Amino acid sequence: MATYGATIAWERHGETFTDNRYSRAHRWTFDGCIEVRASSSAHVVPLPYSAEDAVDPEEAFIASLSSCHMLWFLSLAAKQGFCVDSYTDTAEGVMEKNAEGRLAMTVVTLRPHVVFSREKQPALGELEALHHRAHDECFIANSVKTEVRCVPVLG
């Protein structure tokens, strides 16, 4: 078992607040010193009360799924003797009403493009199997109800 943490901090900077017209910009701090600017999505809370130049929870959710999948994929590829030179994922999430009628991130589609080098190259079936296993092993994917799709980008 392991425990993970983050500090999320927001402050009112003179706004009235009770009129619901306040900045949603805040900070995420990890490992005591790594700071990320965060905010609500402008799709949820209109500008100027959201910060476009900050990460919103929906983007972070997608990124955590993608990152976890990638880290498992890289580990599994290395164990099978495939040399990965680069891995790029243009992941996308869909927010819509779920079966219970509540807004939720219902589908996240990962679109990893992996570049391999050296003589040993995975066949299409091996590549698909690596992604399937990475998905099965991903702690984050195992923790959510969201459908997570993986559509590898070839070429």
Side-chain angles (χ1 to χ4, degrees), residues 12 21 31 42 44 75 83 89 91 118 127 151 155:
R12 183 176 63 87
R21 297 176 65 165
D31 299 327
V44 177
S75 174
C83 183
D89 186 359
R118 302 199 183 142
L127 181 64
V151 182

Side-chain angles (χ1 to χ4, degrees), residues 10-11 19-20 24 27 31 35 37 42-43 45 52-53 81 83 92 112 116 118 123 128 131-132 136-137 144 148:
W10 173 89
E11 295 177 19
D19 62 1
N20 209 29
R24 274 45 170 207
R27 296 178 317 278
D31 299 327
E35 191 170 289
R37 279 185 37 85
H43 295 289
V45 178
E52 283 187 295
D53 63 344
C83 183
E92 180 179 72
F116 297 90
R118 302 199 183 142
E128 290 170 344
H131 281 296
H132 182 77
D136 286 346
E137 297 291 339
V144 299
V148 181

Side-chain angles (χ1 to χ4, degrees), residues 86-90 111-115 131 151-155:
S86 66
Y87 182 112
T88 306
D89 186 359
T90 53
R111 292 183 184 87
H113 179 252
V114 185
V115 176
H131 281 296
V151 182
V153 177
L154 305 174

Side-chain angles (χ1 to χ4, degrees), residues 5-40:
T7 300
I8 291 75
W10 173 89
E11 295 177 19
R12 183 176 63 87
H13 293 286
E15 299 104 339
T16 302
F17 187 77
T18 54
D19 62 1
N20 209 29
R21 297 176 65 165
Y22 57 91
S23 173
R24 274 45 170 207
H26 56 284
R27 296 178 317 278
W28 296 341
T29 306
F30 303 95
D31 299 327
C33 65
I34 299 166
E35 191 170 289
V36 175
R37 279 185 37 85
S39 176
S40 57

